[in-house]
Amino acid sequence: MGFWHTGYMDHHETTGLDDCRAVLMEPIVYPCKRCGENFQLPDDLRTHCFEKHPAQKPVLYVHGKELGNKPYRVTQHIAQSDIIVTNCDHVFFNDKEMTIDAICRELSRLSWDTCRIKLQKEDVVVEFALNFCIASPEDIRGIEEQFEEMVAKHRLDTCVIDEFIAATKKYKTAIGYCDGICAYLYGIMAKERMPGSLTDHPQYVGKYNKAVEQMAGYERPLAKVVSGLIGFHFNHFAETVCLVSNKTRAGQTAIRYQEWIQENMTESWSVHGSDASLMRTESLLVDRNTKKITHWMTQPLENLFGKEDKIESFLKDNLEQYDAVKVQMLLCKMYQMANNVNNGASRHAKSLRNQIGPIGKWAEAQIGKDFQFANGKV
Ligand SMILES: [Zn+2]
């Protein structure tokens, strides 16, 4: 349960966020904006773009991401190898023409600034804005220390969040990190329908989205755990796996859902990859429903025999639609295993068949299917 739930301290010891420094910086995926294919390295993405999508206009990549019209928020230092320019004859830094090398030198000096880069190919000119807001390690540490102070209070309300904001005000360069944490906590308050929540229940979605956006630039375990939990909530399982792999309950559960969706016959999810420090961070921040789902999902299906009614009633208890999808997938699998096809597995599969994307396709394929069939035994 999250740090605000009663009974939290009975089950958890504190270890401190610093223990997990420098773990979990990978894997990062670099998606192609044009076709969606994912690459492990910025260079692979560049080669792909050269070969598959010969550009008509100049393109600028920073940290493996292709820049667009929106100002790009720079939260990590830019080294020469982080900048890629394609299909371009002239490059301008704040209207001054320079070589790429010179621009990289300029960029590597910035940490709290804005600048413009203009790329020209014949008569085609494209301009990009970069907002530098690179947090200092001291400010990051300051925010994480205050986060620890906050969770030690074991309660969550707007006063606690206000106190956290006031205490972190001085860590100016990491303000986005603080905003991300707060957005998540406001989101949790709305999601759990806590008294005193400033936002109505349905608005938790907006808060969650804001939290992910704010956290994206911070390569910190806390940021990854929060974004991993949010991705998990929205059933973006691949995103969660990218962020936390199999090191947390949400990550392990996301892997299992992915395997179900891909109809993998041999399950490779396991609780053995757990990282104690990340597990602690997750348990501090997990909401009640996610906690329940990941608790069930990190057990073999056999262990859940006899719990169908309990899980069915959880499903009917004001569950958000995203969580309902996860619970129905679980029930579908449980009923398949019990050979309860028509009244059990297919009933849930039918109500999931209209889900957009792979979950809908998976559900369609489950209708009328039983466990023996699913295991190729028939
Ligand atoms: Zn592509």
Side-chain angles (χ1 to χ4, degrees), residues 2-19:
F3 67 84
W4 58 95
H5 294 125
T6 21
Y8 173 79
M9 277 316 285
D10 302 342
H11 307 289
H12 300 85
E13 73 229 59
T14 52
T15 54
L17 285 171
D18 272 357
D19 296 350

Side-chain angles (χ1 to χ4, degrees), residues 108-177:
S108 66
R109 284 192 207 120
L110 301 179
S111 59
W112 200 255
D113 225 322
T114 56
C115 72
R116 279 170 295 117
I117 293 181
K118 204 159 70 184
L119 304 182
Q120 189 178 349
K121 169 79 179 174
E122 293 160 8
D123 54 353
V124 184
V125 177
V126 194
E127 201 170 304
F128 306 94
L130 284 80
N131 290 342
F132 281 77
C133 32
I134 299 175
S136 71
E138 297 74 32
D139 285 0
I140 292 269
R141 205 173 307 125
I143 291 202
E144 291 180 352
E145 277 163 15
Q146 289 306 321
F147 173 79
E148 288 293 340
E149 298 268 321
M150 172 170 60
V151 303
K153 293 175 183 163
H154 304 300
R155 52 173 241 273
L156 178 58
D157 50 43
T158 49
C159 289
V160 168
I161 301 177
D162 285 347
E163 283 161 25
F164 174 67
I165 293 170
T168 51
K169 217 169 212 150
K170 54 182 178 255
Y171 307 120
K172 286 190 184 69
T173 64
I175 190 75
Y177 192 25

Side-chain angles (χ1 to χ4, degrees), residues 31-37 39 45 48-49 52-53:
C32 169
K33 275 203 175 169
R34 293 185 182 80
C35 71
E37 199 176 330
F39 298 90
L45 172 64
H48 163 85
C49 289
K52 302 283 178 191
H53 318 289

